[in-house]
Amino acid sequence: MIQSPSFYIFSILAVIVISAIAGLALRKYIIVPIIVFIIMALAAFIIPNFIESADWQPLMGYAVFLGILSLIVSVLTWLYVRGRRRKKEITSEHATKSELNDPDTAHDSKR
């Protein structure tokens, strides 16, 4: 394993931020966890070539952990966006119904 705790802290924070932002921007929620897993799995085989104390098995386990973390963040982002969309639809339906029931706006539309 890599002995630097900053590697783990930065990689976890980067996965959380990238998963949330990419999910909000691209609206492709399942692509980001797959890409994170592939990149980290490749890194699990490349990093041991440069660091002798590192082995590929723990790094591959860490890649799986980051992939699952990214999947959880993506699902939470999807639920957040879906909830906002539903709330906006309910608000717009309520506004439409109130416009129909309000005699002042109905009178203005007949003019």
Side-chain angles (χ1 to χ4, degrees), residues 74-92:
S74 295
V75 167
L76 290 175
T77 305
W78 174 70
L79 289 172
Y80 171 73
V81 169
R82 188 179 74 162
R84 273 187 62 195
R85 203 175 305 141
R86 281 188 179 172
K87 188 183 290 186
K88 187 185 289 186
E89 288 174 3
I90 291 171
T91 305
S92 67

Side-chain angles (χ1 to χ4, degrees), residues 7 34 39 48 70 73 91:
F7 169 76
I34 293 171
I39 290 172
S70 178
V73 171
T91 305

Side-chain angles (χ1 to χ4, degrees), residues 13-64:
L13 290 176
V15 164
I16 290 172
V17 170
I18 289 171
S19 296
I21 291 175
L24 288 172
L26 301 175
R27 297 188 188 244
K28 306 282 185 196
Y29 301 103
I30 195 69
I31 299 295
V32 177
I34 293 171
I35 291 173
V36 165
F37 175 73
I38 290 172
I39 290 172
M40 291 305 293
L42 289 174
F45 292 109
I46 294 173
I47 290 175
N49 292 329
F50 300 106
I51 300 175
E52 293 186 20
S53 64
D55 200 16
W56 71 271
Q57 291 98 344
L59 291 174
M60 188 58 133
Y62 188 64
V64 171

Side-chain angles (χ1 to χ4, degrees), residues 60-73:
M60 188 58 133
Y62 188 64
V64 171
F65 166 72
L66 288 179
I68 292 171
L69 178 67
S70 178
L71 181 66
I72 290 171
V73 171

